[in-house]
């Protein structure tokens, strides 16, 4: 992670902008954090589909709930069991 | 971290999730988003962004209603509707704070023999029960308590409404108090009186009674140094069944009991058969002194 950050810093560009896709951090069984989220396509307790900068992120789990959404960041609480990243829209 | 002041909204639309994108685009952060029914969403947002939310979603195909306050804002609204409860809580807090100012109990630790003196000194310095505590008064009381004999150190601490006085006694043996007066233990004639320190209160040749003061310490002094010789007379009886040597035994007993130096005696024997009573009238010299041995 540090090498990529140093590389982007040396080139003078924002890592998120350069990547364009969603950044996903999953805390197993607790929550999941998403960056670069453009919108929510589908929302339910078992499935959440998010629209990212490039493509979509599909999250499966139990008791899923959007704890916070704003400024491109989204916190999903619940037991996340599966995350699918696709470059195609559903 | 979730903000403390939040409002809950209900959003109805054919595609309610799109509304969240609009809000996100305007910089409004939403919390606890839940789908309550098809086409219906529930979410929370900061209370101060309420007008902004309605402004963003006005004129569009979204119907948004504010349902209620959430979090600390809801708690405050409940409290405002119960002024009596708030007043009671404030009154209890004020009472607790005010009670802390007063002394409701005094405890003496370290030594019980200073308890009564401690109470007197505290009362004189304005720190008695149910009085207001003052650090100045406490310091004055502490200075007075330190001057008590045998006290090495004293601390005065207020713990809540309890004033705790802790004594630390001196480990040194206290200096014994010296005698201040010379008293006659029994009646007699004063033969000699020598006063090295103090005031003589009787004259040589004077007849004195038991307990009479013969010499006392002078004004401003703490002890007297004096000695005296009294010529006393005592009557002693001796009972026995055998008359042989009864007089000698009676005189011996009298000399033993008088505690002085015999000068003369008279013996009278009465009785007969198996019972004899010997009465001895003994004159003796009694030497008395106070603090005299330290000056010889």
């Amino acid at each position: 992670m540090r090498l990529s950050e140093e590389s982007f810093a040396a080139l003078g560009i924002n890592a998120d902008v350069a990547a364009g896709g969603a950044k996903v951090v999953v805390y197993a069984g607790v929550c999941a954090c998403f960056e670069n989220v453009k919108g929510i396509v589908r929302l339910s307790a078992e499935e959440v589909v998010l629209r990212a900068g490039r493509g979509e992120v599909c999250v499966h789990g139990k008791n899923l709930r959007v704890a916070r959404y704003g400024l491109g960041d989204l916190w999903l609480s619940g037991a996340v069991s599966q995350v699918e990243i696709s470059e195609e829209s559903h | 971290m979730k903000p403390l002041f939040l409002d809950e909204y209900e959003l109805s639309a054919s595609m309610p999730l799109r509304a969240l994108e609009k809000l996100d685009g305007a910089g409004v952060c939403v919390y606890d988003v839940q789908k309550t029914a098809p086409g219906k969403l529930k979410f929370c947002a900061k209370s101060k962004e309420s007008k902004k939310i309605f402004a963003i979603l006005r004129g569009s195909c979204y119907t948004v209603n504010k349902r209620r306050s959430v979090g600390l804002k809801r708690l405050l609204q409940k409290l405002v509707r119960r002024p009596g409860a708030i007043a009671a809580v404030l009154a209890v807090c004020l009472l607790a704070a005010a009670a802390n100012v007063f002394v409701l109990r005094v405890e003496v630790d370290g030594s019980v023999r200073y308890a009564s003196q401690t109470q007197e000194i505290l009362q004189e310095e304005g720190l008695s029960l149910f009085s207001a505590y003052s650090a100045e008064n406490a310091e004055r009381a502490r200075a007075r308590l330190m001057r008590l004999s045998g006290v090495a150190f004293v601390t005065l601490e207020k713990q809540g409404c309890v004033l705790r006085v802790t004594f630390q006694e001196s480990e040194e043996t206290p200096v014994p108090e010296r005698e201040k007066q010379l008293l006659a233990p029994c009646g007699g004639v004063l033969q000699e009186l020598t006063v090295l320190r103090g005031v003589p209160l009787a004259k040589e040749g004077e007849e004195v009674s038991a307990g009479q003061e013969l010499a006392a310490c002078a004004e401003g002094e703490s002890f007297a140094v004096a000695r005296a010789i009294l010529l006393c007379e005592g009557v002693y009886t001796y009972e026995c069944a055998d008359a042989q040597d009864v007089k000698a035994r009676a005189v011996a007993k009298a000399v033993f009991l008088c505690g002085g130096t015999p000068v003369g005696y008279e013996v009278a024997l009465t009785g007969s058969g198996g019972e004899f009573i010997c009465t001895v009238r003994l004159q003796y010299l009694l030497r008395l002194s106070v603090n005299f041995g330290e000056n010889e």
Side-chain angles (χ1 to χ4, degrees):
Chain A
M1 287 295 287
R2 196 172 165 190
L3 177 61
S4 63
E5 284 168 10
E6 286 175 356
S7 306
F8 285 124
L11 291 168
I13 51 175
N14 192 313
D16 293 340
V17 171
K23 181 176 173 182
V24 181
V25 177
V26 178
Y27 294 92
V30 179
C31 64
C33 316
F34 303 85
E35 291 181 22
N36 262 350
V37 174
K38 301 297 179 193
I40 305 172
V41 176
R42 199 151 55 236
L43 177 66
S44 72
E46 287 79 29
E47 187 192 23
V48 175
V49 178
L50 307 174
R51 187 164 57 246
R54 268 209 317 257
E56 287 179 354
V57 177
C58 185
V59 184
H60 296 273
K62 287 180 185 173
N63 302 320
L64 298 178
R65 197 170 74 169
V66 175
R68 179 173 179 262
Y69 173 45
L71 302 173
D73 296 337
L74 188 140
W75 280 73
L76 200 65
S77 65
V80 173
S81 59
Q82 190 178 350
V83 177
E84 291 175 3
I85 300 169
S86 63
E87 292 202 1
E88 296 171 359
S89 303
H90 282 86
Chain B
M1 200 175 100
K2 234 159 80 168
L4 293 172
F5 296 92
L6 292 168
D7 289 323
E8 192 177 272
Y9 300 86
E10 191 176 56
L11 180 74
S12 305
S14 55
M15 295 176 74
L17 293 173
R18 289 280 185 181
L20 298 181
E21 289 180 34
K22 281 191 94 169
L23 293 174
D24 178 45
V28 174
C29 204
V30 296
Y31 303 88
D32 296 334
V33 180
Q34 289 180 48
K35 208 169 178 182
T36 53
K40 279 193 178 174
L41 263 184
K42 190 172 70 176
F43 65 92
C44 296
K46 283 186 192 173
S47 299
K48 64 180 182 180
E49 289 179 335
S50 175
K51 287 183 183 173
K52 196 174 176 182
I53 292 170
F54 284 110
I56 292 165
L57 299 176
R58 187 190 301 132
S60 54
C61 53
Y62 306 108
T63 306
V64 61
N65 295 311
K66 184 157 74 172
R67 289 184 62 184
R68 60 185 185 131
S69 299
V70 174
L72 190 60
K73 189 177 175 187
R74 185 177 167 82
L75 181 64
L76 286 174
Q77 283 177 344
K78 277 187 178 177
L79 283 174
V80 165
R81 273 185 244 128
R82 288 167 176 78
I86 297 174
V89 167
L90 282 172
V92 167
C93 292
L94 278 170
L95 204 64
N100 216 30
V101 169
F102 295 96
V103 174
L104 300 182
R105 198 165 84 207
V106 175
E107 287 182 359
V108 179
D109 294 334
S111 179
V112 292
R113 61 192 182 108
Y114 299 111
S116 59
Q117 289 164 300
T118 303
Q119 296 288 354
E120 280 172 23
I121 290 171
L122 289 177
Q123 198 150 9
E124 285 165 18
E125 294 300 335
L127 289 173
S128 54
L129 277 182
F130 308 115
S131 64
Y133 176 79
S134 156
E136 286 175 14
N137 292 352
E139 188 49 40
R140 278 204 301 272
R142 196 187 77 83
R144 284 184 64 180
L145 290 169
M146 282 281 287
R147 291 199 283 268
L148 294 174
S149 66
V151 172
F153 194 70
V154 173
T155 57
L156 246 76
E157 285 174 330
K158 189 163 178 297
Q159 298 167 347
C161 10
V162 177
L163 183 62
R164 195 175 296 278
V165 184
T166 308
F167 283 94
Q168 185 82 31
E169 288 191 85
S170 172
E171 289 179 2
E172 293 173 357
T173 310
V175 174
E177 218 171 285
R178 291 166 123 178
E179 288 149 315
K180 295 181 182 177
Q181 55 188 172
L182 176 63
L183 299 175
C186 57
V189 177
L190 186 62
Q191 299 289 296
E192 185 187 308
L193 178 63
T194 306
V195 179
L196 297 182
R197 185 177 177 142
V199 176
L201 299 174
K203 290 178 187 169
E204 289 178 4
E206 183 184 328
E207 192 161 336
V208 298
S209 53
Q212 185 174 335
E213 218 172 356
L214 304 177
C217 63
E219 198 176 321
E221 292 193 340
S222 58
F223 64 96
V225 180
R227 73 173 180 190
I229 299 176
L230 278 182
L231 178 64
C232 307
E233 188 174 283
V235 178
Y236 305 89
T237 56
Y238 181 74
E239 292 175 10
C240 66
D242 181 13
Q244 192 178 359
D245 297 328
V246 64
K247 286 186 181 177
R249 288 202 296 271
V251 170
K253 180 188 170 183
V255 168
F256 178 74
L257 289 174
C258 76
T261 308
V263 174
Y265 60 88
E266 290 166 14
V267 181
L269 182 65
T270 55
S272 61
E275 283 184 30
F276 294 96
I277 297 173
C278 196
T279 306
V280 178
R281 189 180 290 277
L282 179 73
Q283 291 90 39
Y284 58 95
L285 291 174
L286 197 60
R287 287 182 167 76
L288 321 162
S289 66
V290 285
N291 303 316
F292 212 88
E294 297 155 17
N295 290 280
E296 282 178 344

